[in-house]
Amino acid sequence: MLKIENLHASINGKEILKGVNLEINPGEVHAIMGPNGAGKSTLSSIIAGKEIYEVTAGKITFDGINLLELAPEERACAGVFMGFQYPIEIPGVSMVNFMRTAVNEHRKYRGQEPLLAADFLKLMRDKKALVEIDSKLTNRSVNEGFSGGEKKKNEIFQMAMLEPKLAVLDETDSGLDIDALRIVANGVNKLKTKDNATIVITHYQRLLDYIVPDFVHVLYQGKIVKTAGKELALELEDKGYDWIKKQFD
Amino acid sequence: MSNKEKDQEQILRDVTQTDYKYGFVTDIENDMIPKGLSEETVRLISAKKNEPEWMLEFRLKAYQQFLKMEMPKWAHLNIPEIDLQEVIYYSAPKEKKEVKSLDEVDPELLATFEKLGISLDEQKRLSGIAVDAVIDSVSVKTTFKETLGEMGIIFCSFSEAIKDHPDLIKKYLGAVVPPSDNYFAALNSAVFSDGSFCYIPKGVRCPMELSTYFRINAANTGQFERTLIVADDESYVSYLEGCTAPQRDENQLHAAIVEIIVEKEAEVKYSTVQNWYPGDKNGVGGIYNFVTKRGICRGESSKISWTQVETGSAVTWKYPSCILKGDNSVGEFYSVAVTNNHQQADTGSKMIHIGKNSKSTIISKGISAGFSQNSYRGLVKVLKGAKESRNYSQCDSLLLGDKCGAHTFPYLEVDNRSAIVEHEATTSKISEDQIFYCNQRGIKTEDAIGLIVNGYAKEVLNKLPMEFAVEAQKLLQVSLEGSVG
Ligand SMILES: Nc1ncnc2c1ncn2[C@@H]1O[C@H](COP(=O)(O)OP(=O)(O)OP(=O)(O)O)[C@@H](O)[C@H]1O
Ligand SMILES: [Mg+2]
């Protein structure tokens, strides 16, 4: 589904990604871990199409198409979702309006008619129940004044609404209390099918207790330096990153 | 070329070519007087209109007043010298006789208004809005006149009102905005060519929206119209004003006056969607819009509510105001002013509290993009006798990009200790992060800006009559196309 080959990228002339290779197939869950500043958010932003990063070499294909040639909104409509590490507040824009515009843009991309207001509201209700998000939150402006945890839950709610093929969740677990962590993880698991895939970026094993990854990758200094099964996360939790860093410094 | 570059090119093209959709010119024969301003011009206009002596006198007095005045310089506007001798002060579509029915109106003219989305055909008009259409200097057609007449409502062009209702005009003309009020008011009073007049009798709720539609068509002409609305005791009317102009390289002058008189327990809602041609991307051309709008709440518990959505004009200078003379009277001002490219706007409101327990609200939302300058200027004045009166003002500015400017100039003059006056102001920006967040959810940049801007302006748009609100929303988005990203 997603194939990243020899990806190099820089920002303001500073190289952050230095040859990332990653392949993801439908039905898989991948975890990406790695020390602060390794380039994890950079990688997810580039997948989503944030323009401040310059891709200097390599390619990303998604379902056989060159992802780097698509505008961010086209990638979204093609099925790429990114859960933001720091979700953005948009004062004045109601969640309902925001989601309705987003859902209808996705439908338009697929050649479908916009949803009728009643159908849309029903969809909202169903998805709210699925990810156990407080109804009051969706009556407010997008993320405005939401607590850190509420913002993260709202990301999962949006993911549920848009049903992406590939979801890249950037530290969706940070800032969540124990109950919220379980709720968010359950939401992700409920949305999982054999046709979609998830990349979870996290620092902590505890999320991976709930969302069990098929692969765990370590990103360090702009490269994926280690890939293994779910046991790698446990090992990292136990030993930290020093033993990996040592091999590369 | 990569897709991305192609897209950028496309966006750029869309942006630079987003046409002002009302920029066409109608080819109609005009009856014009030579350009230039003198006492002779004033007499000529009056003669063209077959006006009574008292009207000519009003004009001549105003002209004498005008000669003693100078163009105001205090606004935060950079306007090149306007040569008033280069302006044509009267231009009217030629017509053979007085128009009695639609069949007699020049088909070209009808087509023009159809193109603008305004139907003058009463049969077609299902939505129930009565229209007075003013093109260049004169009113061409007022719809629904008979229906309204049955209720005692007068809705006609100003010229007709001078002929048919001289007593009302003599009584109210200049009662709220005297010719001596300011430079542009004096000019308008001397040379105004037409406009709308509306009178709602005692106890009548006007059953439909009344609207005036202004259109400048001919080149080099100035438009100087007046609107006078009188709401007698316990009456109600909702009034709409719309305006557009052709796209031209030279600047054109628009200097209007709106006067509203509201008696005891009556209410007037006045909504404007101002979309005069704003000039091109480089600031060439566009309308200079200098307008004096003022209403007086004369009676007890009367109310005036101004709502404006301003997206057009190269220069806007206007401060719709309320004189709250009656006890318990209410004044409201809700405004969205958008400036893009090289547009400049200096707009706001004045609330003058005279009556006891009078209340006013000012909600002003400025949106600036491109190289534009957007200023809010407002005065809240509470006189000695205005016990327990209240004002709440909120002035928000939204910036798109970093080459534009937003300014607020609030003035307070409070002469009564029991009054409560509150002022709040905020400035915010649309950030690239917000746009990207929307993009990531599948929403295009232009639509994202539309969502954010409409969200920001919601409080004001909600005050507009339904039909107008939809139009205004679209207008906001179009006006800002290409301003971010
Ligand atoms: N705008 C920028 N200008 C310069 N350097 C930047 C910019 N944005 C990111 N970086 C640098 O890129 C590197 C990678 O950042 P990134 O956010 O991808 O790390 P991360 O792996 O997500 O870290 P964390 O675990 O803390 O979230 C960091 O060194 C960061 O300082
Ligand atoms: Mg990060």
Side-chain angles (χ1 to χ4, degrees), chain A residues 13-200:
Chain A
K14 179 184 162 201
E15 187 166 56
I16 310 280
L17 299 183
K18 302 168 181 170
V20 173
N21 292 292
L22 184 65
E23 188 166 353
I24 291 175
N25 296 304
E28 292 177 353
V29 175
H30 291 241
I32 298 180
M33 305 182 78
N36 294 132
K40 302 180 298 299
S41 294
T42 303
L43 178 62
S44 58
S45 296
I46 289 171
I47 294 172
K50 195 161 181 173
E51 266 157 30
I52 52 167
Y53 299 98
E54 194 194 350
V55 174
T56 51
K59 58 181 185 179
I60 306 180
T61 41
F62 180 70
D63 278 347
I65 50 173
N66 181 355
L67 199 63
L68 295 175
E69 285 203 341
L70 299 187
E73 63 272 18
E74 292 170 321
R75 300 182 196 197
C77 291
V80 175
F81 178 90
M82 176 171 134
F84 285 63
Q85 182 173 1
Y86 305 106
I88 308 295
E89 301 194 6
I90 313 181
V93 178
S94 69
M95 271 306 292
V96 173
N97 235 344
F98 180 71
M99 271 337 300
R100 191 163 62 173
T101 312
V103 166
N104 284 336
E105 284 299 317
H106 276 70
R107 293 177 65 87
K108 191 154 94 192
Y109 188 85
R110 296 191 293 256
Q112 295 168 314
E113 292 290 308
L115 273 187
L116 294 175
D119 295 339
F120 173 77
L121 291 173
K122 180 173 184 311
L123 181 71
M124 280 247 327
R125 266 199 308 277
D126 293 350
K127 300 297 183 180
K128 274 194 282 200
L130 185 75
V131 299
E132 299 177 50
I133 186 174
D134 190 342
S135 251
K136 279 189 235 101
L137 287 183
T138 56
N139 289 333
R140 288 165 48 181
S141 293
V142 179
N143 292 326
E144 192 188 23
F146 286 25
S147 75
E150 287 168 342
K151 284 181 182 167
K152 296 301 175 74
K153 277 199 227 173
N154 192 22
E155 295 292 288
I156 300 304
F157 167 67
Q158 293 176 47
M159 172 182 164
M161 289 293 291
L162 299 172
E163 299 185 325
K165 274 194 216 155
L166 173 71
V168 185
L169 305 177
D170 192 356
E171 294 198 28
T172 302
D173 55 333
S174 57
L176 293 178
D177 65 38
I178 296 163
D179 291 334
L181 180 73
R182 187 177 38 76
I183 291 170
V184 161
N186 280 345
V188 173
N189 287 334
K190 281 183 211 161
L191 294 168
K192 205 182 137 184
T193 70
K194 65 176 182 11
D195 299 317
N196 63 23
T198 313
I199 298 175
V200 286

Side-chain angles (χ1 to χ4, degrees), chain B residues 137-152:
Chain B
S137 302
V138 297
S139 166
V140 290
K141 170 79 187 161
T142 312
T143 62
F144 285 111
K145 220 181 331 194
E146 287 74 23
T147 323
L148 294 168
E150 284 163 19
M151 305 181 74

Side-chain angles (χ1 to χ4, degrees), chain B residues 444-462:
Chain B
K444 291 185 207 70
T445 300
E446 304 293 359
D447 295 336
I449 293 172
L451 266 180
I452 295 170
V453 164
N454 280 312
Y456 167 80
K458 198 159 45 190
E459 216 178 330
V460 175
L461 296 178
N462 284 347

